[in-house]
Amino acid sequence: MVVGSPPTVRRRQLGRELRAIRERSGLLAEQVAVELRCSTSRVSRIETARVRITPGTVHELLDIYGVEGPDRQRLVALARQAQETGWWQEYSERLTWEYSTLIALENDAAELRWFEPSVLPGLVQTEEYARTVIRKTLPGHSAETIEEKVGVRMARQRVLTRDTDPVRLWAVLDEAVLRRLVGGPDLMRRQLRHLVELSTLSTVRLQVLPFARGASACITGPFTVLTFPETADADVAYVENEAGDLYVEKPAGVDRYNLVFDDLRADALGCDDSRAFIAEVADGLS
């Protein structure tokens, strides 16, 4: 079992099912830890998808729980699927656990609901915009490090246009995001025109929250809510800040972010008006 590997939807499902089986069997995590010859915290991390678990370990757990037949075969197969590596694992030693987790969850998501009050979401940034932002946030880092991080950000964007099950993006952008001249007028004009193009994709909804709309829920700061194809996979809210990234998984917390997003999109311009607004801001840059 490898600690620090970012959870995928399959691993979250596996952990959830293993916990349910343990609880039905009447065993405490401490008792399972003794049988498995590991710490109680390791059992907890398995059940919360904080560690990658091998099919062999799943067999051991199912022996403890007395699970046989089709359920055993299905769970072992799920463990094998959860071991499949994603493209981002090539960079795992140089990415934080939180960032790797975001990439893994984005890859498995059905829809992303994203609010940004200051800079554009990484999934809609042009390469030159991304490079400017990353260079600003990582002063003193080598050009090689900057370019690698730009490459990772560009690779993340493939989830929006991949042939199989592209991820839907619904983003609400505060007007300040469009007005902030990242990299100067020329770069920003190209970035905004890229936004206009993206907004024509069937999988992308962009809405602008204009200054004229006054006070809104945007005082919450940036956040993303990720939803997944299977209804059994609960939504996750991701909040990025300087003090450390936060993943909210408790339903009450996620529901709060979904309510805030609903308020934001209700206050924002519609998609067609937002596209026209972005184009107007781009045309006004000189």
Side-chain angles (χ1 to χ4, degrees), residues 84-99:
E84 294 175 1
T85 58
W87 62 265
W88 58 90
Q89 290 177 328
E90 175 186 346
Y91 306 93
S92 60
E93 293 182 0
R94 300 181 293 283
L95 299 177
T96 64
W97 187 90
E98 290 84 2
Y99 191 32

Side-chain angles (χ1 to χ4, degrees), residues 6 20 38 57 104 126 134 136 143 147 168 177-178 200 274 280-281:
C38 69
T57 301
T126 63
I134 291 171
K136 189 69 174 177
E147 289 307 308
R168 300 186 302 275
V177 176
L178 310 179
T200 64
S274 293
E280 181 180 349
V281 173

Side-chain angles (χ1 to χ4, degrees), residues 69-243:
D71 282 344
R72 186 186 187 101
Q73 296 171 10
R74 180 179 61 81
L75 290 168
V76 171
L78 187 60
R80 292 196 183 96
Q81 294 169 358
Q83 283 194 308
E84 294 175 1
T85 58
W87 62 265
W88 58 90
Q89 290 177 328
E90 175 186 346
Y91 306 93
S92 60
E93 293 182 0
R94 300 181 293 283
L95 299 177
T96 64
W97 187 90
E98 290 84 2
Y99 191 32
S100 295
T101 296
L102 175 63
I103 296 172
L105 293 177
E106 281 179 349
N107 190 70
D108 288 338
E111 181 176 89
L112 308 174
R113 299 169 189 161
W114 203 320
F115 172 64
E116 271 291 351
S118 56
V119 295
L120 287 168
L123 294 185
V124 300
Q125 294 177 3
T126 63
E127 185 173 329
E128 57 183 351
Y129 184 102
R131 183 176 293 109
T132 302
V133 171
I134 291 171
R135 188 182 293 125
K136 189 69 174 177
T137 55
L138 296 175
H141 283 67
S142 68
E144 181 182 5
T145 297
I146 299 297
E147 289 307 308
E148 181 176 82
K149 291 187 178 297
V150 171
V152 170
R153 187 162 298 182
M154 294 300 101
R156 282 173 56 200
Q157 297 179 1
R158 292 198 293 263
V159 298
L160 300 179
T161 55
R162 62 192 180 194
D163 293 334
T164 304
D165 299 323
V167 176
R168 300 186 302 275
L169 173 65
W170 191 342
V172 176
L173 308 174
D174 190 81
E175 183 178 343
V177 176
L178 310 179
R179 301 291 185 186
R180 181 167 288 107
L181 294 182
V182 174
D186 290 340
L187 186 157
M188 199 64 196
R189 187 187 309 109
R190 291 190 291 272
Q191 171 64 77
L192 294 180
R193 287 175 177 165
H194 177 64
L195 274 186
V196 171
E197 284 186 35
L198 282 177
S199 71
T200 64
L201 296 178
S202 60
T203 54
V204 176
R205 290 184 183 179
L206 295 181
Q207 290 185 257
V208 175
L209 185 64
F211 295 146
R213 294 293 168 94
S216 69
C218 68
I219 57 174
T220 57
F223 66 88
T224 308
V225 177
L226 303 98
T227 66
F228 301 95
E230 300 296 331
T231 55
D233 294 309
D235 294 358
V236 175
Y238 169 71
V239 184
E240 181 181 9
N241 58 61
E242 290 300 319

